[in-house]
Amino acid sequence: MAPKNKNPYERKDCFINMMGFVAIIGLLCLFHSPHCGTLAESTYACDNLPILQKGATRAGPPHIQLARRDKRPSGEFDDDNITGQYAVWQTTVGKYYGLQAKIGVWAHPNQVHLQESGASIAVNNAKRGSSFSTLQAGFHVLPDLYNNSDVHFFTYWTRDRYGSTGCYNLRCSGFVPADGVVLVLGKAVGPPYDGEDRYITISLHTDPNTGNWLLYRKDLEKSLFLGHFPKELCPELNDGAPRAAFIGFVSYPKNGTTPAMGSGHFPEEGERRATYFKNMTLFDSNAKPHDPIPSIMVPLMSKRDYYRISDIPLGTKDGYMFYYGGPEGCSG
């Protein structure tokens, strides 16, 4: 009998100083500690990737808007040498006032300089080009930002695709953290890869009174308010964001090797191997949660030979959910 799910984050966690920084072109953002165990190898080697089985989810529309992360220090690296991949379930264009998910958290001790891997929930204005706006929250591994390979809680925002506005965490004015919260931006937590189910549930939705976007942690006995994005940050998202997304993502140098996405296992490997988004929820204009309607959800995979998502099964004990991910070490 499989052990019950455990949430390890009730223990006292260490704060990690944010050091250094480099821009990453990628898409949207996971937790771990210096004492993490190594990831188990994926069942599949990169040079022998399996063909998707009949009926497996395939890529939907061939485009998802990418947002450039903060610029690297001048002259240090070539931003154009970084590429990003993603595995996403997102809504069709409409009006969305927030989203929530239970996000599986895994260790990434082998990740190196210029690689990023993570998972996030996000809202954006669904437009292409320079007017793209997004608000994001989730967990990622980004050694160039934190000077380690731990998994960190993060937020990100921008009003333009090219990263000339916005930032991670508190590197610029934008996100306003709540006073006295334990789960602070940039914090690292350490789940070992030991077969246990590690997760944190976060939600991002509008305040019906102020229009601000509120961020909560929801896996504790009481909801924990983490802070907010002022509505003035991204006016294009006021009165409902045109699109909401549940995202697994990586970025890495072109012609380099890929980092693991999620746990490093493909979605078809299932529970306790592949990582996930569970209890997917959308919010209405009154901040009331409801299940996503499957007909408005679209799957997207930018490099499905390397990184994949599962279908969204109906009526599971975990609500609407999906598995995602893929192994490290593939040729980019």
Side-chain angles (χ1 to χ4, degrees), residues 63-64 88-92 124 243-246 296-300:
H63 175 81
I64 184 169
V88 180
W89 274 99
Q90 70 174 13
T91 60
T92 55
N124 65 62
R243 183 167 280 154
F246 304 86
I296 68 168
M297 300 301 294
V298 179
L300 298 169

Side-chain angles (χ1 to χ4, degrees), residues 209-248:
N209 298 316
T210 66
N212 295 331
W213 290 86
L214 310 181
L215 184 62
Y216 285 88
R217 177 179 176 179
K218 291 292 189 75
D219 56 287
L220 305 177
E221 289 186 8
K222 293 181 63 177
S223 294
L224 178 64
F225 177 55
L226 302 178
H228 72 278
F229 292 101
K231 66 178 182 179
E232 294 80 11
L233 278 183
C234 297
E236 299 87 351
L237 304 181
N238 293 344
D239 193 29
R243 183 167 280 154
F246 304 86
I247 304 159

Side-chain angles (χ1 to χ4, degrees), residues 50-65:
I51 298 173
L52 286 178
Q53 297 178 351
K54 184 177 179 181
T57 303
R58 294 185 180 273
H63 175 81
I64 184 169
Q65 181 70 55

Side-chain angles (χ1 to χ4, degrees), residues 74-146:
S74 179
E76 185 176 358
F77 296 105
D78 179 6
D79 284 338
D80 293 332
N81 189 44
I82 301 297
T83 187
Q85 309 297 342
Y86 48 84
V88 180
W89 274 99
Q90 70 174 13
T91 60
T92 55
V93 176
K95 279 193 174 184
Y96 304 97
Y97 295 86
L99 70 172
Q100 176 177 305
K102 176 180 175 180
I103 304 176
V105 179
W106 302 83
H108 285 258
N110 300 326
Q111 197 164 309
V112 297
H113 180 59
L114 294 184
Q115 293 180 337
E116 181 183 15
S117 178
S120 69
I121 57 174
V123 290
N124 65 62
N125 68 348
K127 292 182 179 180
R128 301 188 185 193
S130 60
S131 61
F132 175 71
S133 295
T134 187
L135 304 175
Q136 305 171 27
F139 313 101
H140 68 168
V141 181
L142 181 50
D144 297 289
L145 180 58
Y146 305 102

Side-chain angles (χ1 to χ4, degrees), residues 172-191:
C172 66
S173 59
F175 185 80
V176 181
D179 293 334
V181 294
V182 175
L183 181 57
V184 297
L185 298 180
K187 188 173 185 179
V189 181

Side-chain angles (χ1 to χ4, degrees), residues 252-299:
Y252 52 92
K254 294 177 182 177
N255 303 317
T257 57
T258 63
M261 181 188 288
S263 64
H265 293 275
F266 289 118
E268 51 265 38
E269 297 182 60
E271 192 75 10
R272 299 198 177 281
R273 292 184 70 80
T275 195
Y276 57 78
F277 285 79
K278 293 182 177 180
N279 302 115
M280 299 161 64
T281 302
L282 299 174
F283 290 87
D284 64 21
S285 59
N286 294 313
K288 300 297 183 183
H290 59 86
D291 289 336
I293 302 170
S295 62
I296 68 168
M297 300 301 294
V298 179

